[in-house]
């Protein structure tokens, strides 16, 4: 499985961006999908994850009410709509997918990390 992320960029505080991540290859076992981010000098954190059917999702406290995750299974794509962006949202955002990704909590089961996409930079200026 290959994950291709896009949609990052530079935006002013209060602005919006929409990240996309499309899966290709053997997509039958994608299961949950989600987004992580890592800011300079900080640990990677799970931002938002969504179950295979879309019925269950998770948001980090820092993004609740501002970010919305969704997926289109027909296109094997997950989206992250980011509104009211703040400078502290600045990070490299990575999409992730796989049967070991736990959508409730956005973490890897048994630390087995199935699939990662390349990072996309999101920079929010104040």
């Amino acid at each position: 499985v290959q994950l291709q992320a896009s949609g990052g960029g530079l935006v002013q505080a209060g602005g919006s961006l929409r990240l996309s991540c499309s899966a290709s290859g053997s997509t039958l076992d994608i299961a949950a999908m989600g987004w992580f981010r890592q800011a300079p000098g900080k640990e990677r954190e799970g931002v938002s994850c969504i179950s295979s059917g879309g019925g269950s999702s998770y948001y980090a406290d820092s993004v609740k009410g501002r970010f919305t995750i969704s997926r289109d299974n027909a296109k094997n794509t997950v989206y992250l709509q980011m509104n009211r962006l703040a400078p502290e949202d600045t990070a490299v955002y990575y999409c992730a997918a796989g049967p070991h990704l736990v959508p409730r909590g956005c973490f890897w089961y048994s630390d087995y990390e199935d699939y990662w996409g390349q990072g996309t930079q999101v920079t929010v200026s104040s």
Side-chain angles (χ1 to χ4, degrees), residues 38-50:
Q38 188 164 23
K42 294 187 177 181
E43 292 188 355
R44 185 182 67 192
E45 66 168 333
V47 176
S48 183
C49 288
I50 189 168

Side-chain angles (χ1 to χ4, degrees), residues 9-74:
L10 173 64
V11 65
Q12 288 189 332
S16 298
L17 284 174
R18 188 194 195 203
L19 304 183
S20 299
C21 176
S22 296
S24 61
S26 300
T27 58
L28 290 178
D29 65 342
I30 289 178
M33 302 183 78
W35 294 92
F36 292 72
R37 69 185 180 186
Q38 188 164 23
K42 294 187 177 181
E43 292 188 355
R44 185 182 67 192
E45 66 168 333
V47 176
S48 183
C49 288
I50 189 168
S51 61
S52 57
S56 178
S57 60
Y58 163 89
Y59 295 94
D61 288 342
S62 58
V63 308
K64 281 180 182 176
R66 300 187 299 122
F67 291 10
T68 302
I69 193 169
S70 61
R71 65 187 292 167
D72 184 339
N73 286 340

Side-chain angles (χ1 to χ4, degrees), residues 14-17 66-68 81-86 89:
S16 298
L17 284 174
R66 300 187 299 122
F67 291 10
T68 302
Q81 178 66 43
M82 305 185 294
N83 298 329
R84 291 186 282 134
L85 283 161
D89 295 317

